[in-house]
Each structure stands twice: as C-alpha cells, then as structure tokens.
C-alpha cells in the first residue's frame, strides 16, 4: 500500500507501536488481522488529512468516539475533516472510534485505552450511564479533556457540550406535528434508538410537553431500543402499527427511518406527517422524495469546530471564552434543502 507517511506518523495515528506498524507494512507476520486493518485505516485517515499534516503549527491529536449508526458517524467524519484546514495555524489530527451498538464495557474499554495511551482531547457521543461517566472521570484525571457531542453527560467531568438544545428541538417537532395534523384524527408514534442517550430523552420530553399542552386528545405511542438500525427498527414499528390502527404520524428521535416507512408501506398504512432528525444521506434522499415532512437539522461542522476550540482552550492555545451556545435548530423541508451536502 503506497503512502508518503513516516512510520512514526502512522503509529501515532493508529495508536500502535512503530514496530507493529513496520511488521504490517513489510508483511513480516505475527500481527492480528484486526491490527493490520487499524494500520491501513490510519493510513487512509492520514491521506484524507494530509493538508493538515503538512501545516506548521501546534499539533493536537483528538480522538472521536461515537456510538451511532453508520449514516451519522459518516457525517461526523466528513464534517470534522472539512473543518480541519480552517483551524490553521493549529494542526488538528483525528482518530476515529466508531461503533453502531454493543455492550457498554467495550465503549468503556475504548475510553480507558485512550486514557492510557494519551490524547489531547476526546469528542464523545455516548449513552449517559454510570460506567461511561466514570470513564470520562478517568480521562479527566489523566489530563485528557472530553467534549460531548450531540448528547450530553452533565454529571461527568466533561469540559463542554456542543450540539442543539434537545428539549427545544422536541418542542419544535411537536409544534410542527400539531400544525400539520390539524384536526385530523390519529395517534403519533415516537421512536427512540435508546433510552440511555440523554439527547433522545430530552427531545422526547420536549415533544411530550408541548403535545400534552396543545393537543391533549392525541395519543402518543412510544417504541425504543431499535438502536437506529433498520433491521431492529422495522420489527418494532410493525408491531406497534399492528397493535394500534390509529397511528398516522411519526416523530423519529433516533433514526431508522427507511425501516419505519417500509413497515407502514408493508401494512398498507399512510404516514400523514413524519418529522425526523439530522440531514444524513438517508434522510436527504427521503426528504427529496417527499417521504419525510421535515428534518430538524443542525450544523455538524459548527459543532465539531466548537469542540476542537474547546480542546484548544483547555490546553491554553485559545483564550478563555464563555459557555458554548447551543447550535441553531434548522427546520428543513423538501423546499429549502441545502445546495451543498449536509454536514
């Protein structure tokens, strides 16, 4: 695999020893296949970030750790790498640790390995559970600042949160739902990927609060733990539709929207209003096809830029500033979609 990068740079990017990287690159054997994949992934990351590698300035190695569906982590990677050149004269290098689902102990293991290996900062999207909070505490004790992305861990030692006001986003979804359903009868399906992500809990609370105040006659039917993955989401939605013939609208808090729409179609049911989150590649297509009513979106590039600034402030590379304000909540319809790719 041809590349212009020194072994020490590849080793730093992969979080491995130079000897291990040398064995992989020269085919000497004695290395697990998963380790070899990490080396090649590090080279690919360096290749995308090569404009940063050649800059002269203070270098920050930042780890991005996220538990989320691939469609979201792809958007995160693209948004961060698009922002890297704008952070000049600082040089921000990034290592990615993405997983769609899995036991909490594996996520905690990733965070603990970063704490042992060292990092200038961690940008984290993770469930709000005690084990993760404790792992963030260990990172903080090791001098590694943690910035939470999209979903917060307020009881942890994190230095900041970047993302939208999730309760306000849920209230916005309820307002749109009420306006578009009007006086038509019908219950609303609310769909969470997991009850352990604080952002989803806050969106659901904001949604329920407004619906209860403005539309108390309309029943809300909740499903959860689909992890935003199509395979599990389809079964949950289909079961809910079969049990409740009155469901006519969806507020999708946690994703899996292809599967949700397929379940409606397979049962011959109409989805009159469908409000979702994040203009990822799936939702962009569904919105263009008028299969979603609206997407509540926020600028991931802005969020990741602010996250990098928080890391720099922690290390004294930027002057202190006040708390980061929530990102703007954008209501995107088929008629005001961005002309450039989302992210």
């Amino acid at each position: 695999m041809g590349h212009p990068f020194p072994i020490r740079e590849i080793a730093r990017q992969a979080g491995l020893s130079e000897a291990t990287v040398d064995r992989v690159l020269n085919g000497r054997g004695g290395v697990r296949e998963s380790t070899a994949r990490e080396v090649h992934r590090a080279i690919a990351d360096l290749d995308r970030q090569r404009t940063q590698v050649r800059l002269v300035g203070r270098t920050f190695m930042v780890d991005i750790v996220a538990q989320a569906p691939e469609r979201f982590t792809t958007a995160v990677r693209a948004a961060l790498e698009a922002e890297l050149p704008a952070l000049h004269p600082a040089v921000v290098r990034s290592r990615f640790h993405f997983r769609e689902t899995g036991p909490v102990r594996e996520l905690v293991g990733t965070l603990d390995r970063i704490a042992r290996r060292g990092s200038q900062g961690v940008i984290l999207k993770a469930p709000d559970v005690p084990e993760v909070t404790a792992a963030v505490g260990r990172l903080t004790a090791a001098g590694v600042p943690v910035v939470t992305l999209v979903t917060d861990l307020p009881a942890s030692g994190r230095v900041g949160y970047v993302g939208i006001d999730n309760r306000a986003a849920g209230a916005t979804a309820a307002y749109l739902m009420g306006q578009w359903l009007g006086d038509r009868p019908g219950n609303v399906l609310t769909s969470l990927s997991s009850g352990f992500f604080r952002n989803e809990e806050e969106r659901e609370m904001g949604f329920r609060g407004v619906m209860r105040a403005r539309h108390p006659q309309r029943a809300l039917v909740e499903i959860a733990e689909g992890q935003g993955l199509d395979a599990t989401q389809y079964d949950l939605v289909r079961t809910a539709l079969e049990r409740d013939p009155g469901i006519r609208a969806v507020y999708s808090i946690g994703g899996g929207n292809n599967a949700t729409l397929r379940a409606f179609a397979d049962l011959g049911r109409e989805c009159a209003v469908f409000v979702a989150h994040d203009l990822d590649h799936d939702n962009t297509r569904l919105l263009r096809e008028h299969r979603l009513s609206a997407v509540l979106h926020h600028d991931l590039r802005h969020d990741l830029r602010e996250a990098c600034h928080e890391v720099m402030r922690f290390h004294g590379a930027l002057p202190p500033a006040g708390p980061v304000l929530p990102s703007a909540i954008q209501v995107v319809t088929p008629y005001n979609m961005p002309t450039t790719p989302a992210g």
Side-chain angles (χ1 to χ4, degrees), residues 142-295:
V144 180
V146 176
V147 181
T148 50
L149 172 69
V150 176
T151 184
D152 200 9
L153 301 168
S156 72
R158 55 92 169 129
V159 299
Y161 162 75
V162 293
I164 57 174
D165 179 332
N166 286 292
R167 191 182 288 260
T172 301
Y175 173 79
L176 296 173
M177 187 70 68
Q179 291 293 107
W180 286 335
L181 280 177
D183 295 328
R184 290 177 290 173
N187 300 334
V188 180
L189 182 70
T190 63
S191 171
L192 294 82
S193 73
S194 171
F196 293 106
F197 285 99
R198 178 170 287 267
N199 65 327
E200 296 192 19
E201 179 186 34
E202 291 175 345
R203 291 173 187 178
E204 194 266 346
M205 290 169 62
F207 185 80
R208 281 187 179 274
V210 171
M211 292 297 289
R212 187 165 51 243
R214 296 174 63 95
H215 311 284
Q217 80 289 354
R218 204 175 292 283
L220 305 182
V221 180
E222 179 182 315
I223 59 172
E225 305 310 319
Q227 305 301 323
L229 305 177
D230 285 348
T232 47
Q233 182 74 4
Y234 178 86
D235 292 337
L236 289 170
V237 175
R238 181 160 183 144
T239 298
L241 292 176
E242 289 172 341
R243 288 178 177 171
D244 189 336
I247 295 173
R248 298 189 66 245
V250 173
Y251 174 37
S252 175
I253 299 171
N257 300 326
N258 281 315
T260 297
L261 287 165
R262 190 168 73 252
F264 270 86
D266 287 352
L267 293 174
R269 298 274 289 275
E270 177 199 18
C271 184
V273 180
F274 197 135
V275 179
H277 278 272
D278 300 322
L279 206 57
D280 55 39
H281 51 75
D282 281 355
N283 286 344
T284 296
R285 176 180 54 80
L286 293 172
L287 199 57
R288 285 203 180 103
E289 295 171 355
H290 290 245
R291 300 174 70 195
L292 300 180
S293 306
V295 171

Side-chain angles (χ1 to χ4, degrees), residues 1 8 25 46 50 93 97 132 145 165 167-168 172-173 187 206 232 272 288 295 299 307 311 337:
M1 184 176 181
R8 67 177 179 278
L25 295 180
L46 285 170
R50 67 167 63 210
R93 295 262 304 283
H97 314 267
V132 173
D165 179 332
R167 191 182 288 260
T172 301
N187 300 334
T232 47
R288 285 203 180 103
V295 171
D299 187 349
V311 170
M337 295 181 66

Side-chain angles (χ1 to χ4, degrees), residues 12-221:
R12 187 180 184 203
Q13 184 73 26
L16 299 168
S17 70
E18 293 184 24
T20 298
V21 172
D22 182 70
R23 284 200 299 274
V24 171
L25 295 180
N26 291 287
R28 295 201 176 98
V31 179
R32 291 194 301 270
E33 184 179 344
S34 61
T35 302
R37 285 198 300 270
E38 289 180 19
V39 171
H40 295 305
R41 191 180 305 119
I43 293 170
D45 288 344
L46 285 170
D47 193 54
R48 282 192 305 272
Q49 300 171 34
R50 67 167 63 210
T51 56
Q52 280 284 293
V53 173
R54 294 177 180 177
L55 293 175
V56 176
R58 185 170 176 181
T59 298
F60 297 88
M61 179 63 79
V62 176
D63 290 89
I64 297 82
V65 182
Q67 179 172 314
E70 178 274 335
R71 60 182 176 272
F72 181 78
T73 55
T74 295
V76 167
R77 182 192 292 268
L80 178 60
E81 291 180 346
E83 279 299 305
L84 293 183
L87 297 171
H88 179 72
V91 179
V92 175
R93 295 262 304 283
S94 50
R95 293 183 291 227
F96 300 96
H97 314 267
F98 294 155
R99 42 181 277 161
E100 289 198 311
T101 186
V104 170
R105 67 178 181 275
E106 292 181 3
L107 178 60
V108 168
T110 297
L111 297 175
D112 284 342
R113 282 193 297 275
I114 293 170
R116 291 192 298 270
R117 182 184 62 206
S119 176
Q120 273 72 56
V122 171
I123 300 172
L124 176 64
K125 179 187 183 297
D128 186 5
V129 295
E131 298 92 332
V132 173
T133 296
V136 171
R138 291 190 289 274
L139 280 161
T140 302
V144 180
V146 176
V147 181
T148 50
L149 172 69
V150 176
T151 184
D152 200 9
L153 301 168
S156 72
R158 55 92 169 129
V159 299
Y161 162 75
V162 293
I164 57 174
D165 179 332
N166 286 292
R167 191 182 288 260
T172 301
Y175 173 79
L176 296 173
M177 187 70 68
Q179 291 293 107
W180 286 335
L181 280 177
D183 295 328
R184 290 177 290 173
N187 300 334
V188 180
L189 182 70
T190 63
S191 171
L192 294 82
S193 73
S194 171
F196 293 106
F197 285 99
R198 178 170 287 267
N199 65 327
E200 296 192 19
E201 179 186 34
E202 291 175 345
R203 291 173 187 178
E204 194 266 346
M205 290 169 62
F207 185 80
R208 281 187 179 274
V210 171
M211 292 297 289
R212 187 165 51 243
R214 296 174 63 95
H215 311 284
Q217 80 289 354
R218 204 175 292 283
L220 305 182
V221 180

